[in-house]
Every structure is written in structure tokens, then in C-alpha cells.
């Protein structure tokens, strides 16, 4: 508050404040862990079995071969180890003064560079046998608007984790475990992802046609508290489907450690520790399981394509003639496009007038709205001028809320949920000519050519012309702004 006002801030006040906040956070975290031990597990057996079986069916349909334990003489071993060590070393490129722990870690990294074989055999021995781990220190980095937890892991264990992370990502990539909709990916930096998504919307079949009352819905939301709600027992069973059981046990055991800060400590028995080297792999795999719940196995399969020849991002290709689009597959389900960037999801629906009416009716049956209060509290994009925002027509507002409600019902509360306040649903229809969304730090507004009042395209700064791949005609424009955050 004082920083925002521009007043002077005493450093010791900041430090005291940070200490207080850390203790408060740890206290609430201890309470959460104790509640879990007392009342848990929160996930019901029926839900757990359903999630497990759908993952099994998915992996079978993708013909996925599980990742084995890294063999003793594995041909990419030294390359993976060097990559892992470089990644650990990167953190120290800017630091001048090091504490005892960090000096020890740098020493171990140098030693591993000198004797890679000895280091690798130690790593594999630990992966096989180590199931009890040293306590992990936790501190918070103060960014003044929010805090980021920093975990301090024992250096020897950190090197093992870093190698495991490289090994899992390499092997999973080779086996095509993650479909194209899971981001961030190597194929595009974030601004290019925004462009691809805009192009993907523009190239959907008959996307701008509203002559028979068709509607498009663009839903963006955040999966809330996924990290905190990961149940380690369920996670272990899910991991065993894709990796060797020794690695699965090591990965879940590593999350079940003592967290300490000064004189406070507690055992983490519920939720993922984000500071582990391989936390990103666990999260993206767990996210894939959530994607399957949202999309359903059939639609996920349509989007991913054939196991041997996966579809590119946001495209449906004919399996027999890959140069052609498979319009039938694309149009047989309202969810046309899907993307998940870590925990932010974007879903693009296209409904016929009848499908939209059905969905709204189902929604209003459960949540009647006699006084048209759904319009109140409907989030809008305030960064655009008024005539460019979504117009809050009764039908469109109800459709937006109904689409959100439909997706929310597909996610069990014990895993994650989506909150209306963290979401935005833009509807394109006869009354609404814009598609609005934000992605990767950009606010985007897509206006199709057939709906723009002036027929001539205006070329100015921050505008993309979106071209239809088949006709090579400029069919829409995307206006961009950098979002406020």
C-alpha cells in the first residue's frame, strides 16, 4: 500500500511483515494438513475409480508404452545429466554471495561434471531405494503485491530430482504423452500462441455465420487450487500408469516431506510441493487427467488425432488424407477448440440455435432467473471502449453462464473447481459481433469482416489480419492490447 502511494518504506518493516505473513501462511497450511488427516481423503472412491479408469482408457487408446526405470547403460544419460546440471547452475549465474547450502550444491554440481558416471549410478541408486527425505526449508520471496514460496531442497536430492525431470520430459515427449493442447510448449512462445489461437478461431468451419441463430462461446477460466488439492495416493496410482513404480513412489514420496521455517515445521501429506524439480511434469500430467474430465474421452481423442499421427494444435486432419481437414469430426461436438496453459484453460464452443436453447433450458431449470438477475455481475472486458465490449443481451448472458455451469459440473470439487470471478465468457451471436478473450498477457478482440460496419479493413498498430486458410481471404481482424497485470 505504501509502495503504491510512493511513501518511503523501511526495510526492517518489510522484513518483519514478511516474517509475520510467512508464519500466518504456515499456520493455515498446518491446519489444512491436519484437517486432511482428520477428515480426508476428500476424494470419494467412486470419483477416484472413475478418474483412474478414464485415464487407463485414454492411455490404451493412445497406445502409450509406460516409461521404464532409466537403464544402467542408457545412451542419453550423460546428455540428460549435463542438461540437468546446467539448469541447476543457471540459478547461480547472478548471485554474488552464497550461503553454506548453496556452496555445497555448487560443489556437488562441479563434482558431477567431473565424475558423471559415479553421479549417475548414485542417482539411480537413490531413485530405487530412497524413500525418506531430508526436510525442505520454505521461505517467501516478497514481491510486495504478492508472495512466492521458495523451497530449499537438500543439494544431493536436488541433483537426483533434476536428472529425473530431464529424463521424464524427454521420454514422455518421445512417446507423445502430452497432446498438442497442453501448453506452454516448445513449438511456440506465448505471443505466437495467442496468434495461433486467434487463427484457430478464424479457421473453424463456418465460424462467423449466424444466419440460423448459431452462437460461439469463448470461455476462459482458471482451475483453482489444483496444486493444493492433489491427493498423493491418487497421484501415485495415476503416475504408475505412465512410469515405472519405483519412480512413481519416489515422486510421491518426495512430496511427503517435512517443511520447516525457523521453529515451525509440519509434514506435507496433501498437495504438491511446487519447488521440486519435477513438479512441472507432475502438474502437466495431472492437468491432462483434468482435461480428459472436461473434454470427455471421445472429444479428447478427436482433438488429439490418431495415436501415430497426432493432430497439430487446433486442427482436425483427415486420418486417410492428412492434407485435408476433417470437417465432420470438427463439427460433431460443440467444443471446437481447447487449450490449457498450465492452469488457465480456454475453450471455444460453437452451438446451433437448438443446442444453445437446450443448454440454456437445462441451466435455467436448475438456476431459475425470474428477475433477469443473471446480467448483474456478468464479467466484461472493461479495457475496451463500450461499443467493443460484450453486449449483455438476455439470451447471450444466459448462454455464457450456462456454458460455464456445464464445464464446472464436469470437475469434482475434491480435485479442482472454476470460479465465476476468475473467468470470462464472451458470446458471439446475432447481437454480439466481437469475440473477446485474454491470453498470455494480451487482451484480444476479434471482429469478423462480415460484422464490421466499415467494409474496408483499417490497418493500424496492434491489429492482426486473420486469413482463412482455404480461401486465403482476410475474414477477421484481431485487435490487441497488453493486459493490465
Amino acid at each position: 500500500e505504501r509502495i503504491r502511494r510512493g511513501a518511503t518504506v523501511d526495510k526492517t518493516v518489510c522484513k518483519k511483515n514478511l516474517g509475520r505473513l510467512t508464519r500466518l501462511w504456515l499456520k493455515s497450511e498446518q491446519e489444512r494438513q491436519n484437517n486432511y488427516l482428520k477428515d480426508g481423503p476428500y476424494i470419494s472412491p467412486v470419483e477416484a475409480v472413475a478418474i483412474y479408469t478414464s485415464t487407463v482408457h485414454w492411455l490404451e487408446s493412445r497406445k502409450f508404452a509406460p516409461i521404464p526405470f532409466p537403464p544402467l547403460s542408457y545412451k542419453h544419460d550423460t546428455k540428460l545429466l549435463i542438461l540437468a546440471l546446467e539448469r541447476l547452475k543457471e540459478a547461480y549465474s547472478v548471485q554474488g554471495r552464497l550461503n553454506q547450502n548453496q556452496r555445497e550444491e555448487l560443489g556437488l554440481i562441479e563434482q558431477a561434471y567431473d565424475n558423471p558416471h559415479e553421479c549417475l549410478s548414485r542417482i539411480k541408486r537413490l531413485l530405487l531405494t530412497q524413500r525418506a527425505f531430508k526436510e525442505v526449508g520454505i521461505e517467501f520471496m516478497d514481491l510486495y503485491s504478492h508472495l512466492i514460496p521458495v523451497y530449499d531442497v537438500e543439494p544431493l536430492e536436488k541433483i537426483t530430482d533434476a536428472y529425473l525431470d530431464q529424463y521424464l520430459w524427454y521420454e514422455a515427449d518421445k512417446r507423445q504423452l502430452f497432446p498438442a493442447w497442453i501448453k506452454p510448449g516448445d513449438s511456440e512462445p506465448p505471443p505466437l500462441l495467442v496468434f495461433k489461437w486467434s487463427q484457430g478461431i478464424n479457421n473453424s468451419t463456418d465460424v462467423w455465420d449466424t444466419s440460423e441463430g448459431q452462437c460461439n462461446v469463448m470461455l476462459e477460466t482458471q482451475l483453482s487450487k489444483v496444486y493444493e488439492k492433489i491427493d498423493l495416493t491418487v497421484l501415485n496410482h495415476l503416475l504408475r500408469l505412465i512410469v515405472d513404480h519405483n519412480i512413481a513412489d519416489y515422486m510421491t514420496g518426495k512430496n511427503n516431506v517435512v517443511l520447516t521455517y525457523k521453529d515451525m515445521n509440519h509434514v506435507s501429506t496433501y498437495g504438491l510441493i511446487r519447488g521440486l524439480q519435477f513438479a512441472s511434469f507432475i502438474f502437466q500430467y495431472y492437468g491432462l487427467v483434468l482435461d480428459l474430465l472436461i473434454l470427455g474421452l471421445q472429444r479428447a481423442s478427436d482433438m488429439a488425432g490418431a495415436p501415430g499421427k497426432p493432430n497439430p494444435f487446433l486442427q482436425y486432419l483427415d486420418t486417410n488424407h492428412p492434407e485435408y481437414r476433417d470437417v465432420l469430426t470438427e463439427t460433431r461436438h460443440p467444443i471446437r477448440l481447447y487449450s490449457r496453459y498450465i492452469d488457465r484453460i480456454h475453450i471455444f464452443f460453437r452451438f446451433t440455435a437448438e443446442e444453445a436453447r437446450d443448454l440454456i433450458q437445462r441451466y435455467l431449470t436448475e438456476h431459475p432467473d425470474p428477475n433477469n438477475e443473471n446480467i448483474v455481475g456478468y464479467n466484461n472486458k472493461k479495457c475496451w471502449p463500450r461499443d467493443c465490449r460484450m453486449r449483455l443481451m438476455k439470451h447471450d448472458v444466459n448462454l455464457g453462464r450456462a456454458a460455464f455451469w456445464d464445464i464446472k459440473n464436469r470437475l469434482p470439487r475434491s480435485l479442482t473447481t472454476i470460479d465465476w470471478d476468475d473467468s470470462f465468457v464472451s458470446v458471439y451471436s446475432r447481437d454480439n459481433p466481437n469475440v473477446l478473450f485474454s491470453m498470455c498477457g494480451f487482451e484480444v478482440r476479434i471482429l469478423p469482416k462480415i460484422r464490421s460496419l466499415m467494409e474496408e479493413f483499417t490497418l493500424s498498430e496492434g491489429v492482426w489480419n486473420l486469413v482463412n486458410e482455404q480461401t486465403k481471404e482476410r475474414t477477421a481482424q484481431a485487435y490487441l492490447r497488453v493486459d493490465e497485470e
Side-chain angles (χ1 to χ4, degrees), residues 213-274:
Q214 303 99 315
C215 303
N216 301 334
V217 176
M218 171 72 230
L219 171 98
E220 58 174 273
T221 184
Q222 184 161 10
L223 300 170
S224 79
K225 297 200 169 121
V226 187
Y227 290 99
E228 292 93 325
K229 288 186 174 180
I230 291 182
D231 187 300
L232 297 181
T233 316
V234 175
L235 179 67
N236 187 284
H237 282 290
L238 289 172
L239 281 172
R240 281 170 175 241
L241 296 175
I242 56 160
V243 296
D244 180 78
H245 67 95
N246 291 306
I247 297 182
D249 290 346
Y250 180 87
M251 289 166 85
T252 40
K254 199 86 195 34
N255 281 291
N256 189 7
V257 290
V258 177
L259 289 180
T260 62
Y261 169 74
K262 294 187 177 171
D263 58 342
M264 300 178 77
N265 61 359
H266 69 271
V267 181
S268 166
T269 46
Y270 180 47
L272 185 71
I273 293 177
R274 286 182 241 190

Side-chain angles (χ1 to χ4, degrees), residues 32-37 39-44 47 231 270 414:
R32 201 177 76 88
Q33 298 286 351
N34 289 336
N35 287 343
Y36 174 75
L37 291 173
D39 312 328
Y42 301 128
I43 184 165
S44 72
E47 284 169 347
D231 187 300
Y270 180 47
S414 52

Side-chain angles (χ1 to χ4, degrees), residues 251-364:
M251 289 166 85
T252 40
K254 199 86 195 34
N255 281 291
N256 189 7
V257 290
V258 177
L259 289 180
T260 62
Y261 169 74
K262 294 187 177 171
D263 58 342
M264 300 178 77
N265 61 359
H266 69 271
V267 181
S268 166
T269 46
Y270 180 47
L272 185 71
I273 293 177
R274 286 182 241 190
L276 298 174
Q277 299 292 319
F278 49 75
S280 63
F281 180 84
I282 292 186
F283 185 83
Q284 289 293 42
Y285 172 56
Y286 193 76
L288 169 63
V289 175
L290 298 178
D291 295 337
L292 298 179
L293 296 182
I294 293 172
L295 293 169
L297 290 176
Q298 181 58 50
R299 194 52 176 170
S301 227
D302 291 346
M303 285 186 172
K309 293 182 285 188
N311 283 337
F313 184 44
L314 307 180
Q315 291 177 25
Y316 296 84
L317 298 184
D318 195 324
T319 37
N320 304 324
H321 307 283
E323 62 278 10
Y324 295 116
R325 291 174 56 186
D326 187 351
V327 178
L328 198 67
T329 305
E330 182 190 346
T331 52
R332 73 177 173 208
H333 191 285
I335 297 182
R336 298 294 162 89
L337 309 174
Y338 181 84
S339 154
R340 179 173 57 77
Y341 194 96
I342 309 179
D343 58 355
R344 283 206 74 79
I345 55 175
H346 289 77
I347 310 177
F348 185 75
F349 304 85
R350 179 155 176 80
F351 296 105
T352 61
E354 199 176 314
E355 285 169 340
R357 199 169 51 244
D358 279 357
L359 183 59
I360 291 171
Q361 260 175 345
R362 273 182 24 228
Y363 170 68
L364 288 177

Side-chain angles (χ1 to χ4, degrees), residues 398-430:
N398 282 339
L399 180 59
R401 288 204 183 251
F404 175 83
W405 164 81
D406 187 37
I407 294 300
K408 184 168 181 160
N409 283 347
R410 298 177 188 194
L411 293 165
R413 290 230 34 142
S414 52
L415 294 188
T416 178
T417 184
I418 53 179
D419 293 323
W420 178 255
D421 295 335
D422 298 333
S423 315
F424 174 67
V425 190
S426 161
V427 178
Y428 169 89
S429 65
R430 281 176 178 164

Side-chain angles (χ1 to χ4, degrees), residues 25-36:
W25 183 86
L26 277 163
K27 205 159 179 252
S28 73
E29 181 60 17
Q30 282 177 359
E31 204 172 311
R32 201 177 76 88
Q33 298 286 351
N34 289 336
N35 287 343
Y36 174 75

Side-chain angles (χ1 to χ4, degrees), residues 1-11 13-15 17-18 142-147:
E1 175 56 34
R2 291 184 63 119
I3 291 168
R4 192 181 291 134
R5 228 176 40 230
T8 52
V9 184
D10 190 359
K11 206 169 178 186
V13 172
C14 282
K15 283 198 165 167
N17 211 5
L18 178 61
D142 195 353
L143 297 182
Y144 303 115
S145 58
H146 57 288
L147 301 176

